Amino acid sequence: MNEKAIADNNRRGRLLVVGLGLIGGSLAQAARERYLCLEVIGVARRQATLDQAIENGIVDRVAEDPPDALRELGEGDVVVLSVPTLAIGQVLGELRQHLDPAVTITDAASVKGSVVATVRDVYGAVPPQFVPGHPIAGSEQSGVGAANPDLFVDHRVILTPLAETAPEHVERVRRLWEGVGATVTPMPVDEHDEVLAATSHLPHMLAYSLVDTLAKMDENREIFRYAAGGFRDFTRIAGSDPVMWHDIALSNSEAILGVLDLLTENFAALRQAIADRDSDYIMGVFTRAREARTHFAKMLDRKAYLEPAEASSLTYCTQPRALPLAGRLRVPGDKSISHRSVMLGSLAEGITRISGFLEGEDSLATLQAFRDMGAVIEGPDHGEVSIHGVGMNGLSPPPGPLYLGNSGTSMRLLAGLLSGQRFDVEMTGDESLSRRPMKRVVDPLTQMGAQIETGDDGTPPLFIRGGQPLKGIDYVLPMASAQVKSAVLLAGLYADGETSVTEPAPTRDHTERMLGGFGYPVVREGDTVRIAGGGKLRACTIDVPADISSAAFFMVAASIVPGSDIVLEHVGVNPTRTGVVNILRAMGADISLLNEREAGGEPVADIRVRHAPLRGIHIPEDQVPLAIDEFPALFIAASCAEGRTVLTGAGELRVKESDRIQAMADGLCTLGIVATPREDGIEIEGGEIRGGTVESHGDHRIAMAFAVAGLVATDSININDCQNVATSFPGFAALAVKVGFNLTELRE
Ligand code: S3P
């Protein structure tokens, strides 16, 4: 059978379209061209429209006598009312007596509440055969001449069936719209009208009003000569069908007035800000709007900020290679420092300028959270960010829960900082973050007087009740955690009296250093840090060094590939972060720190790494907190080393973005390495890495570690679920390829 014959076989029912304008004409033509129905019949008021519909092949035939055509219809047939919203009552009134109750009726109006009310008026009650519908598609052209059979492809159609609507009719309408390429979404009538008032009706009112204002302002239309692309783009919709929009304005007046009032209020505030030359207010509106405009599709899907909207999964594929790695490279900015720069910059007085900011999803989640709480933040633009600080007590309640994606650091540090605010906040995260332990911050914060509710087992979401007076405490950390230390110190800024944190082993001290940089007194005595509440932060400049945790993958890569010689530029080498250098050196790696200097209160160096044979070691436990994020990469080094590497005292790895001990052990075993997980560590026998498929469990560092393994594997490795690499290392694959990795990305 040929294509048409197969299609003919599937054809079902007849389609009668009343009103052959843009929507009705496009639907008729699409249904006809896709052989969806036995016959497509057109009904229109004007003879010229009917003639054109026949001439353009939009319908199979037109109904010379509509009542007759309607009487022919029965079960399985569909009538679509595609007439202006306010005409539906009259049209339905005329057709009703000729329509069998088995015929499916739907409409295409942009307002659903008024249509349902009209149908109820005409019938006395909404009949089960009526399925209210709204295709969200259009064009500034109208009329049958503008009909386009692809108009609905990849567009949404909202159906708003009522309790009394029969499922078989809904199903028939759904099939029709899906048949012409649309995605069908059900929605309650009221919700539809509110959503559309905001996203469609309001912009149309604005566009009409703007063009009309300018047209009146300049009777000679002289200014339109200078109307460039922006004006044309913005006002395109003012070219839409006036009757249709007149009807919409009146039919959905209540919802439209609601959003129009909101906009008018906001607009008046913007006007005032311009009059007052209030730069902060103006920049606030523009930067927030730009961010929302750029990311709204992703925000809507609760997707990460940098993930391409269409990509649901990313696989890395490595091919074996023996060529050495070479070149100089700068990996993205330090994640820990980037988070803290936004937090302290937002609470400071004045404008904090940041360079080298990590434009990864985790730090962008923190940035968005502070925008949501009223800080005006310009950028990031090539790593540059300017934050107009609001002062210690200047944050405002966010419009909804703060969504922190994959970022444990954001949630834990914010828990401390937000415990001291006057407003309530809820914080949520993705699947991985929603499993991570929060009790470790909730416990000390509660001792300080904070009120925090968690989900089951102390996991997110966190709900923080504002307005609680905090008091300073002396907290002895039960585990070596910079996040917990930082959360307590940040709450300490708002606490009455002094707060101290004592740690069992040194952990990264970026919070303490940066507080000092913002002019906030911090006292460090041995393993204890102390601050007093009630002080102020003064804006400053921050140069974020490259992240040693990202550099670690290249340190291991260059160490294990013979002949390699690379330089990693401007890497942060704070001694609380250089465990990876110490451990690799102990294994025999050839690493030198060049050009050691200080940038913005943090030690920085260029790191040269040359290939060297590695040997297995027992990793000293005091190095564990100093290399806590680098173990996935170090496990690859261990797999390539001569002999056995033993890690103990690293139970924390089990509660990172994934259980990193289990995830790495599983992957390494798949690749032929003998790796034995232990409660608080792992034992790895060096050996030959083979090919295979491994799971990253959505953990960025596991994904990158196995990409490094691919360099020396005997066969190709597929690494699943790598999309979260963008949380800490956007552009990893491209940079890796640049220095010599044989790595491809596969998006599905
Ligand atoms: C971080 C501290 C560490 C680290 C995380 C970032 C920070 O977590 O693993 O990636 O920025 O303070 P813990 O404090 O839980 O060890």
Side-chain angles (χ1 to χ4, degrees), residues 14-17 39-43 59-63 69 73:
R14 281 166 290 188
L15 173 67
L16 186 141
V17 181
E39 193 181 28
V40 179
I41 310 160
V43 174
V59 293
D60 291 300
R61 68 180 169 96
V62 297
L73 302 181

Side-chain angles (χ1 to χ4, degrees), residues 138-168:
S139 146
E140 64 277 23
Q141 275 136 21
S142 38
V144 70
N148 163 14
D150 293 325
L151 187 68
F152 308 108
V153 174
D154 294 334
H155 280 253
R156 261 177 214 276
V157 172
I158 300 177
L159 300 184
T160 61
L162 310 172
E164 48 269 54
T165 317
E168 66 270 22

